[in-house]
Amino acid sequence: MSHAFHEGERAVQERAGVAAVASRVAGSIHGEIPPPARDFLLEQPFAVLASRDADGRVWASLVHGLPGFLAAPSDWVIEIDATPVAGDPLADSLVPGAPLGALVIDLATRRRMRVNGRVARVAAPIRVAVDEVFANCPKYIQRRALVGDGANDPHPAITSATDVLTTAQQRWIAHADTFFIASGHAERGLDASHRGGAPGFVEVIDERRIAWPDYRGNAMFQTLGNLASDPRAGVVFADFESGDVLQLSGRARVDWDPARAGHFAGAERVVELEVDAVRETRGALPLRAYAVEASPFNP
C-alpha cells in the first residue's frame, strides 16, 4: 500500500500549518518491520490494541504476556500470543481481515512503536499482516518502572458496562497522567496511540464527555487525521497500582478555538470525546508500575 498521508491527515496538517514538516517526516513510516523494532517487540510485556466491534465502535484494549509474547516472525508479520480479557470487545473484533492497530510502549525508557495492519489469524498467537510500522518520539511519556512480567492472566469478570461515567470513574480520569487512544480510517485501518501530560490534564466535563489538550507532536497527525475522517474513537486508562482498566468508546471532535485551548497550558487544540459506552475491568492488568519521572515535555 502507499504510505502517503490520507485526506484527513493532510487536512489537519494543512490547518495546523505543518504540511511541509509532515512531508519530511513521512519517510519514517515503513511497510516492513526493521530489525531493531523486532528486538524491541520481544522485550515488552504489554501492548495497546485498536479494534472495531460489530456495531462499528472503536475500542482501545490492553493485552499482556511474558516478554516474547510479541514477536515478528517475518518483516511483514507480527504475532501476539495473548487472549483478550473476558468481556473485552477485542475478543469479538478479532476476525480474519479485520483492521487492527498496535502500540508497543516501554514506559521505563519512553520508547514506542506503532504497527498497523490486518488480522491474518485469530487463534493465539494472533497474527497481524503489517501495513505500516513507525516509531514515535518520547514526548509526554511519564517514566514508570514496571513490576511483574505480565504472565498472570486471571480473566476477571467485567464489573461494569454502562453508557455513562460513574463518579468514581470521573475521579479516576481527572487524576490520570496517561491514557491510550484508538482511531481509524475507512481505508487505512486502525491506529493506537499514547497521550500523556501532568496529572489532571484530562478534563471531565460531565458523565458523558471528557476533553484533553493536544500538544505539539511529530506533525504527522495520524490520530487527529483519522478523527477528521471518522469521529469514532476509543480510549483506555490503566491504573498501574491496582491493575484496573477503564475503556471508553465514543465519538471525538477537535476544537480549534484558541480561546478554549488557552484553558490548557501548552495546548494547541482540544479534543473532546462524547462517550457512548464504558467498560471497567478490575485486575485486568497483572503488571504494576510506580512513577519514576514526569515527562520533561509536560507543560
Side-chain angles (χ1 to χ4, degrees), residues 168-210:
Q169 290 166 346
Q170 293 178 50
R171 286 197 299 267
W172 178 351
I173 293 169
H175 289 89
D177 63 14
T178 299
F179 71 91
F180 306 101
I181 181 168
S183 61
H185 182 269
E187 296 177 356
R188 295 300 183 90
L190 294 169
D191 175 78
S193 189
H194 162 275
R195 290 293 183 270
F201 82 109
V202 183
E203 176 189 14
V204 177
I205 301 171
D206 57 35
E207 64 182 8
R208 292 291 303 274
R209 292 180 300 158
I210 65 172

Side-chain angles (χ1 to χ4, degrees), residues 27-291:
S28 63
I29 303 175
H30 305 286
E32 58 188 42
I33 306 169
R38 296 172 74 170
D39 294 339
F40 177 71
L41 285 172
L42 290 170
E43 299 168 353
Q44 307 312 317
F46 83 99
V48 185
L49 301 185
S51 67
R52 181 180 287 118
D53 68 19
D55 295 322
R57 288 175 173 165
V58 173
W59 295 89
S61 302
L62 298 178
V63 293
H64 57 82
L66 288 168
F69 91 104
L70 298 168
S74 79
D75 293 342
W76 302 277
V77 170
I78 66 166
E79 290 185 344
I80 307 166
D81 193 6
T83 302
V85 170
D88 191 317
L90 175 65
D92 294 329
S93 302
L94 293 173
V95 297
L100 193 73
L103 168 70
V104 185
I105 185 168
D106 185 339
L107 298 175
T109 64
R110 297 190 172 111
R111 296 167 63 201
R112 53 178 160 167
M113 63 177 285
R114 285 148 80 174
V115 183
N116 302 330
R118 309 277 166 171
V119 176
R121 184 178 66 200
V122 176
I126 302 161
R127 177 168 287 187
V128 181
V130 172
D131 290 331
E132 57 184 22
V133 181
F134 52 100
N136 282 146
C137 70
K139 285 183 178 179
Y140 316 115
I141 299 175
Q142 323 312 324
R143 192 155 71 89
R144 283 182 162 87
L146 291 179
V147 179
D149 55 19
N152 180 33
D153 191 3
H155 290 286
I158 294 294
T159 57
S160 66
T162 66
D163 57 3
V164 296
L165 294 165
T166 66
T167 301
Q169 290 166 346
Q170 293 178 50
R171 286 197 299 267
W172 178 351
I173 293 169
H175 289 89
D177 63 14
T178 299
F179 71 91
F180 306 101
I181 181 168
S183 61
H185 182 269
E187 296 177 356
R188 295 300 183 90
L190 294 169
D191 175 78
S193 189
H194 162 275
R195 290 293 183 270
F201 82 109
V202 183
E203 176 189 14
V204 177
I205 301 171
D206 57 35
E207 64 182 8
R208 292 291 303 274
R209 292 180 300 158
I210 65 172
W212 60 88
D214 189 68
Y215 303 131
R216 183 183 299 274
N218 58 19
M220 292 194 285
F221 286 110
Q222 286 97 339
T223 298
L224 268 59
N226 283 345
L227 298 179
S229 300
D230 184 342
R232 292 173 293 184
V235 301
V236 60
F237 294 84
D239 185 331
F240 286 105
E241 294 184 2
S242 67
D244 296 349
V245 170
L246 179 64
Q247 295 170 280
L248 316 179
S249 183
R251 291 151 290 124
R253 68 178 186 90
V254 181
D255 189 337
W256 294 82
D257 182 358
R260 186 172 188 191
H263 291 291
F264 296 86
E268 297 189 338
R269 292 152 294 273
V270 175
V271 182
E272 183 173 315
L273 179 75
E274 184 170 352
V275 176
D276 293 323
V278 180
R279 298 204 180 200
E280 180 179 348
T281 310
R282 296 184 178 176
L285 190 65
L287 295 164
R288 299 294 182 268
Y290 58 89

